[in-house]
Amino acid sequence: MTAPDGNLLQCGVPEGYRSGAPAMLNPHHLELFHYVVLHRGISRAVRHIPYGIGQPAVSGQMLQLEQQLGTRLFERAPFALTPAGEALWAH
């Protein structure tokens, strides 16, 4: 998820989830978020990611994404997207 010039794409987060300008999001974090949502959890996602990455690494990167956005994206157990996670998934 990079622009043709190689820069990270910008993703605007809906108002109320983060103050300030849109964040520059790490495309790898967004890719992992995609797998987590698609497979309804981190452990399940790890089994379907086509390259070797462990559950602790995915968990840590999801935490980094949430910290960058300033909001929780999903509940871990049972898995459920938060309103911010729904907004990012729809984006």
Side-chain angles (χ1 to χ4, degrees):
M1 289 210 208
T2 57
D5 62 4
N7 291 321
L8 297 179
L9 295 176
Q10 287 191 357
C11 176
V13 177
E15 187 128 51
Y17 294 127
R18 177 180 157 84
S19 61
M24 294 296 289
L25 300 179
N26 181 323
H28 182 64
H29 291 172
L30 295 174
E31 178 185 29
L32 294 176
F33 176 74
H34 168 82
Y35 278 101
V36 169
V37 174
L38 192 64
H39 296 289
R40 312 280 307 153
I42 292 172
S43 295
R44 291 182 195 159
V46 167
R47 293 192 291 265
H48 297 281
I49 295 171
Y51 46 87
I53 186 168
Q55 182 272 331
V58 174
S59 292
Q61 290 182 49
M62 290 300 90
L63 286 172
Q64 288 176 6
L65 179 60
E66 289 176 326
Q67 288 171 350
Q68 183 180 12
L69 294 173
T71 190
R72 192 156 188 147
L73 295 172
F74 53 91
E75 299 300 327
R76 271 65 176 166
F79 180 85
L81 286 173
T82 64
E86 291 279 356
L88 182 58
W89 180 245
H91 190 70

